Amino acid sequence: MGFVSLGCPKNLVDSEVMMGLLDRAGARLTSHPEEAEILVVNTCSFIDTAKQESVDTILEMARHKTAGRARKLIVAGCLVERYRDEIQKNIPEVDAVVGTGELESILEAAGLAPAINTPGVPQVPTLGPGNAQMPPSPFTILTSTHAEVRSGKEAEAGTHKSHPESATALVQNENSPKGGGRAEGEQRERAGRFRRDEWQGASHLLPSYLYDETTPRLLSTPRASAYIKIAEGCDHPCSFCIIPNLRGKFRSRRFESVVAEAEQLVARGVREITLIGQDTTCYGEDLGMRDGLATLLDALARIEGLRWLRFLYAYPNRITGKLLDTIAWHHNICKYLDLPLQHASPDVLKRMKRGAGAEIFLKTLGKVRAAVPGVALRTSFIVGFPGESLRDVEVLEEFIKEARFDWLGVFSYSDEEGSGAYGLAGKVPQRSIEARRRRLMNLQQAISRSSKQNWVGRELTLLAEGESAETPLLWEGRSQYHAPEIDGKVFINDFGPLEKLEAGRFYRAEITEAHDYDLVARILFAEN
Ligand code: SF4
């Protein structure tokens, strides 16, 4: 079995769940597509470039079916939610499709019988490069340019880049909220937020699946790090975004399920957990919790052996005092906040259906920085939204200068059928969008260059990740101020008193050089 996972960390967790189900049913994974009998492509469909990448990858895997050993080609993920019928109609090599809400039907698609779960057997074997017992990763992790998720190197200022509806789509997982979701989601559903009428060939059924702590997962991340998806879907009305149509209404995993999964991961050697969801700051609202994310972080931070805990992504108007106090209080909650603001001009934000503006955002950032001293802040913006004027871009520039983010991504607006913005007048020409994006990225580059100089001489803890992909003469690491796969890098060019480093271990280090986005460090000593 060969598996290609595209897109964001949330899609990666879906891939890990599908691989876990396949592994438990007896399938063996290979990193060589030419050797695989069954090939799976887990797709991304957020914007046009992601869709194109998904289609190109499916076609590439289809060639292994015509010329190689592969007997079956399965397409999973967001592209299926949008083009369920079209995929098989237009690419006859595709044997089955699996939507985001029917992950368990990967077994039926692969022609495998589900294995019987044995109570007490750990469900989270790892497959990361740090684990010597495991074969090389079967993944080709390809990144997408996702406005909220940001895996794409090229879009970042400073970062390194017909299957019938199965029963699982209809049956709510036991994790699903019993109360039927948040009032906001119900209201938005009545207003048509989640409708897919304009998408020919898509199922009208919204995904409702959630995995839990008993679901098998094969981790593909390096041994010391893992993601946990704490919620799925989104109820927000952002007019540029089709994620709610693709992933369904917001729903939280049970509190106990998340805690149990985190405990299992730490017991297996994971030291860094990143909580993910479209909007983690809504966590627990559908379960009747108040300050659900803060409560969850507080419980997870108490797990012995967990060195770093962080979450992605925060919706700006849901950052509460209790959340900030919780981040500040626990030494192992990373002082890092990713809050995608999307724009700073009140006019654009109003048409984006997000509200607020530069003035309110600056107050929020001030509150965050006061409550969590030294916090690293990341955001992302979309330029070229319909009706965006040059004055709007200037407002955004002024805001970026004042806010001085540590990390920032700028994405080009992508006109998505089915989104609220699709029918808006005032579309900005593509060339102007690109010019605006470059202008903002150049601005952030200058800000980053000057602020990174302040890091020189600082001592901090680094998680060693292994030899640099750029040269074996250097190692790469991350601090608590760098989220996995997103932010700049810390290159280690001096091992100090140590002869060698170990991937997945923590070291005390001193920053010796700073570049536009990346840092260079010297190891001082190994931490426990
Ligand atoms: S918060 Fe807005 S941009 Fe983010 S996933 Fe939800 S609808 Fe999309």
Side-chain angles (χ1 to χ4, degrees):
M1 167 97 39
F3 214 106
V4 185
S5 189
L6 303 168
C8 64
K10 291 168 295 251
N11 215 35
L12 181 65
V13 171
D14 288 353
S15 294
E16 292 176 341
V17 165
M18 284 188 277
M19 289 201 305
L21 289 162
L22 293 165
D23 177 75
R24 198 204 263 173
R28 287 295 158 258
L29 288 152
T30 171
S31 54
H32 305 289
E34 64 282 3
E35 289 173 6
E37 293 184 10
I38 298 169
L39 290 164
V40 184
V41 182
N42 194 18
T43 58
C44 176
S45 175
F46 181 60
I47 53 174
D48 276 346
T49 48
K51 276 184 268 177
Q52 191 54 53
E53 186 180 39
S54 293
V55 170
D56 291 346
T57 309
I58 297 167
L59 293 175
E60 188 190 333
M61 293 302 129
R63 284 194 283 277
H64 289 291
K65 203 176 154 201
T66 42
R69 276 187 76 184
R71 292 182 291 107
K72 275 195 177 197
L73 175 58
I74 302 165
V75 176
C78 289
L79 201 72
V80 174
E81 292 299 330
R82 185 154 180 186
Y83 300 105
R84 180 173 290 266
D85 293 347
E86 272 75 2
I87 293 170
Q88 278 182 294
K89 218 185 285 168
N90 295 326
I91 312 177
E93 290 89 349
V94 176
D95 298 282
V97 293
V98 175
T100 60
E102 46 192 19
L103 301 189
E104 287 161 356
S105 69
I106 188 74
L107 294 175
E108 189 189 333
L112 294 169
I116 294 162
N117 188 8
T118 315
V121 173
Q123 301 299 312
V124 282
T126 58
L127 200 70
N131 188 342
Q133 301 148 351
M134 292 292 172
S137 169
F139 279 88
T140 307
I141 305 292
L142 301 173
T143 55
S144 72
T145 48
H146 184 314
E148 188 90 357
V149 171
R150 289 127 318 160
S151 298
K153 177 177 181 174
E154 71 281 5
E156 292 284 310
T159 56
H160 293 287
K161 188 190 152 135
S162 150
H163 186 73
E165 283 133 13
S166 73
T168 51
L170 305 171
V171 177
Q172 286 234 327
N173 183 284
E174 66 158 285
N175 251 325
S176 302
K178 303 285 185 284
R182 300 162 65 235
E184 195 178 330
E186 303 298 305
Q187 210 179 37
R188 296 256 150 75
E189 185 169 29
R190 283 195 294 277
R193 173 59 171 122
F194 305 98
R195 283 216 317 256
R196 306 171 175 202
D197 303 355
E198 291 164 34
W199 295 350
Q200 298 262 317
S203 160
H204 68 280
L205 284 167
L206 279 179
S208 61
Y209 178 80
L210 281 174
Y211 80 102
D212 67 23
E213 82 282 14
T214 65
T215 313
R217 261 180 83 185
L218 274 187
L219 299 189
S220 61
T221 41
R223 182 181 178 153
S225 303
Y227 293 106
I228 293 182
K229 200 195 279 192
I230 61 169
E232 182 56 279
C234 182
D235 292 340
H236 290 303
C238 311
S239 61
F240 54 85
C241 182
I242 58 165
I243 284 181
N245 312 54
L246 294 169
R247 296 247 162 199
K249 284 155 70 180
F250 179 85
R251 50 209 188 269
S252 305
R253 279 180 60 192
R254 281 183 300 112
F255 183 86
E256 297 78 11
S257 170
V258 177
V259 174
E261 186 183 13
E263 285 170 349
Q264 286 173 15
L265 289 167
V266 173
R268 297 185 62 87
V270 168
R271 293 290 169 262
E272 177 190 33
I273 289 178
T274 303
L275 307 179
I276 50 170
Q278 314 299 337
D279 171 7
T280 45
T281 44
C282 269
Y283 176 77
E285 286 188 16
D286 52 330
L287 307 174
M289 296 173 76
R290 277 191 69 185
D291 266 312
L293 179 61
T295 311
L296 182 66
L297 288 169
D298 184 60
L300 298 179
R302 293 169 197 274
I303 297 174
E304 209 175 315
L306 180 58
R307 288 288 304 261
W308 284 351
L309 173 63
R310 69 177 87 230
F311 60 94
L312 310 170
Y313 308 93
Y315 199 79
N317 67 5
R318 287 179 192 273
I319 297 168
T320 64
K322 184 163 179 204
L323 178 62
L324 295 176
D325 289 347
T326 307
I327 298 169
W329 176 258
H330 287 284
H331 68 92
N332 58 350
I333 299 184
C334 297
K335 309 306 175 233
Y336 178 98
L337 199 63
D338 185 336
L339 57 170
L341 297 176
Q342 313 300 4
H343 215 284
S345 156
D347 289 346
V348 176
L349 285 162
K350 195 170 168 197
R351 287 197 305 283
M352 285 179 164
K353 295 212 168 139
R354 287 180 65 95
E359 209 178 311
I360 294 172
F361 290 157
L362 285 171
K363 276 193 192 139
T364 304
L365 298 179
K367 198 170 95 178
V368 172
R369 285 177 166 137
V372 188
V375 65
L377 294 174
R378 160 172 276 277
T379 194
S380 54
F381 297 114
I382 295 174
V383 282
F385 187 80
E388 183 189 67
S389 65
L390 284 175
R391 177 65 202 133
D392 291 322
V393 180
E394 281 166 15
V395 169
L396 184 49
E397 273 181 330
E398 288 309 311
F399 174 68
I400 290 172
K401 279 185 211 161
E402 219 166 321
R404 294 187 75 83
F405 288 97
D406 297 273
W407 312 111
L408 185 149
V410 184
F411 295 84
S412 302
Y413 171 75
S414 174
D415 207 23
E416 293 303 314
E417 189 188 7
S419 69
Y422 191 64
L424 290 184
K427 297 278 155 59
V428 181
Q430 200 57 39
R431 276 181 55 187
S432 306
I433 293 179
E434 287 311 315
R436 292 175 190 189
R437 190 174 73 84
R438 273 197 306 276
R439 192 169 136 184
L440 294 174
M441 286 176 68
N442 289 342
L443 169 62
Q444 176 62 16
Q445 188 174 17
I447 292 171
S448 180
R449 186 184 305 133
S450 79
S451 70
K452 291 290 172 294
Q453 289 305 321
N454 299 332
W455 290 62
V456 177
R458 265 175 84 173
E459 271 186 34
L460 35 75
T461 296
L462 292 183
L463 171 60
E465 294 198 300
E467 270 181 13
S468 168
E470 290 167 34
T471 162
L473 299 174
L474 299 172
W475 268 53
E476 285 176 14
R478 276 188 298 112
S479 74
Q480 63 167 317
Y481 311 107
H482 298 78
E485 311 251 335
I486 303 175
D487 302 316
K489 294 178 183 225
V490 183
F491 293 105
I492 303 163
N493 66 351
D494 184 345
F495 292 1
L498 306 175
E499 270 188 29
K500 57 180 184 159
L501 302 184
E502 211 181 300
R505 269 200 83 170
F506 290 85
Y507 296 88
R508 198 71 187 160
E510 182 191 353
I511 302 299
T512 52
E513 281 175 47
H515 298 276
D516 287 359
Y517 304 110
D518 299 328
L519 302 166
V520 180
R522 176 170 67 93
I523 297 295
L524 299 174
F525 56 87
E527 294 185 353
N528 289 325

